[in-house]
Amino acid sequence: MSTQTLTEAKMSHHDLLKDQVAIVTGSGRGIGLSIAKKLAGTGATAVITDISQEFADSGVKEITDSGLKASGFVCNVTDVNSIEKMTEDVMNKFGRIDILVNNAGITKDTLFMRMKLEDWNAVIETNLNSVFKVTQSVIKNMSKVNYGRIVNIASVIGIHGNMGQANYAASKAGVIALTKTIAKEYASRNVTCNAIAPGFIDTAMTQKLKPEMKEQYMKFIPLGRFGSPDDVAECAYFFCTGGSYVTGQVIVVDGGMFM
């Protein structure tokens, strides 16, 4: 390949999402920030939304410091008014929303018998109901222009369950079923909707695990390591760029833990 075509290939790769606007919820840090960075790296304007201005700003700074495009908005994904305001502000500022990544999520782990109703509700509200609310707010804009890419961050726990995580497992299983339904309803509008089910990813959430717990889990991962947020971002990037004939799917990113 000549240097010129190599440069062109690099440029076209960098511009794959040129002019597109990508909202990533809960993207001030962790997996959300990695996804936002990856999409910004291919030309999109990353819309960083997080529960606090501080998180949103730090995410934006990290992306703009690398010379890429990002804009921050505060959004509480459990509050319809906050979501509607964010969607409206993004539309007013950019006039379009091409990509939505529903990433915001929490855990409140405890064994089933001890789980308080408020811990159940908080996790369902943040991890599942938010996907319904944010997608409903954004999808009407995609529907009007017959184009959209929606990526929902689920979890292997939503497929296999896990001790001490009844609320989290139920919320993520719900996200998977919701993904498939949205995919069916909006396919005729050229809006794809897919989910990613990460296994153990090295983030603030998994860093809380005790070293002996980590060692236990490592035995079950054929690739012998925890994933990085970038491993999840690569998969999201595929759904947003190459996966135009892929919809209603769940891709497991878990190092082979569950085959």
Side-chain angles (χ1 to χ4, degrees):
M1 202 185 249
S2 74
T3 319
Q4 190 185 354
T5 47
L6 204 61
T7 314
E8 277 168 11
K10 271 187 187 159
M11 272 174 62
S12 63
H13 174 73
H14 185 266
D15 292 341
L16 266 177
L17 298 175
K18 192 177 186 308
D19 300 330
Q20 291 201 15
V21 174
I23 294 176
V24 186
T25 67
S27 49
R29 55 198 169 148
I31 289 173
L33 182 56
S34 283
I35 293 171
K37 266 191 198 159
K38 180 75 185 171
L39 299 179
T42 42
T45 296
V47 173
I48 304 291
T49 82
D50 218 304
I51 191 130
S52 76
Q53 190 69 56
E54 187 191 352
F55 281 150
D57 289 347
S58 73
V60 168
K61 186 176 182 326
E62 199 159 323
I63 292 173
T64 52
D65 280 356
S66 356
L68 302 169
K69 290 183 289 201
S71 196
F73 296 84
V74 173
C75 180
N76 174 353
V77 294
T78 65
D79 174 9
V80 174
N81 295 332
S82 176
I83 295 164
E84 287 295 345
K85 185 181 184 320
M86 181 271 293
T87 305
E88 214 172 286
D89 289 347
V90 171
M91 283 303 289
N92 288 340
K93 186 164 183 179
F94 301 109
R96 61 191 291 170
I97 298 167
D98 304 274
I99 294 166
L100 168 63
V101 181
N102 285 301
N103 163 75
I106 59 167
T107 53
K108 285 184 184 291
D109 300 349
T110 187
L111 288 172
F112 183 73
M113 273 312 292
R114 298 197 198 121
M115 191 170 283
K116 294 184 173 72
L117 182 60
E118 55 264 35
D119 288 345
W120 171 271
N121 286 342
V123 170
I124 296 291
E125 190 56 53
T126 307
N127 296 7
L128 175 59
N129 295 354
S130 71
V131 178
F132 166 73
K133 292 172 189 169
V134 178
T135 306
Q136 203 171 52
S137 178
V138 165
I139 206 165
K140 41 184 186 264
N141 298 299
M142 294 177 167
S143 201
K144 273 182 204 151
V145 295
N146 286 314
Y147 182 85
R149 297 286 175 261
I150 298 168
V151 181
N152 297 325
I153 307 301
S155 168
V156 289
I157 307 300
I159 303 170
H160 301 279
N162 198 26
M163 287 178 68
Q165 291 197 299
N167 47 6
Y168 188 76
S171 72
K172 294 301 189 177
V175 166
I176 289 170
L178 180 58
T179 298
K180 294 179 179 188
T181 304
I182 290 167
K184 285 185 172 172
E185 288 190 17
Y186 283 88
S188 64
R189 294 277 181 189
N190 190 30
V191 174
T192 64
C193 185
N194 293 287
I196 302 173
F200 285 96
I201 306 295
D202 195 10
T203 63
M205 228 184 237
T206 50
Q207 278 153 14
K208 288 182 202 145
L209 291 171
K210 296 187 177 81
E212 57 271 26
M213 285 281 280
K214 280 190 180 178
E215 260 169 59
Q216 274 305 109
Y217 286 130
M218 215 60 97
K219 286 178 191 157
F220 297 104
I221 303 172
L223 283 178
R225 64 177 177 90
F226 278 15
S228 77
D230 289 345
D231 293 320
V232 181
E234 285 295 334
C235 189
Y237 166 76
F238 162 70
F239 283 140
C240 296
T241 55
S244 64
Y245 196 55
V246 178
T247 194
Q249 298 307 304
V250 185
I251 292 192
V252 174
V253 180
D254 70 349
M257 190 175 181
F258 294 104
M259 290 194 205

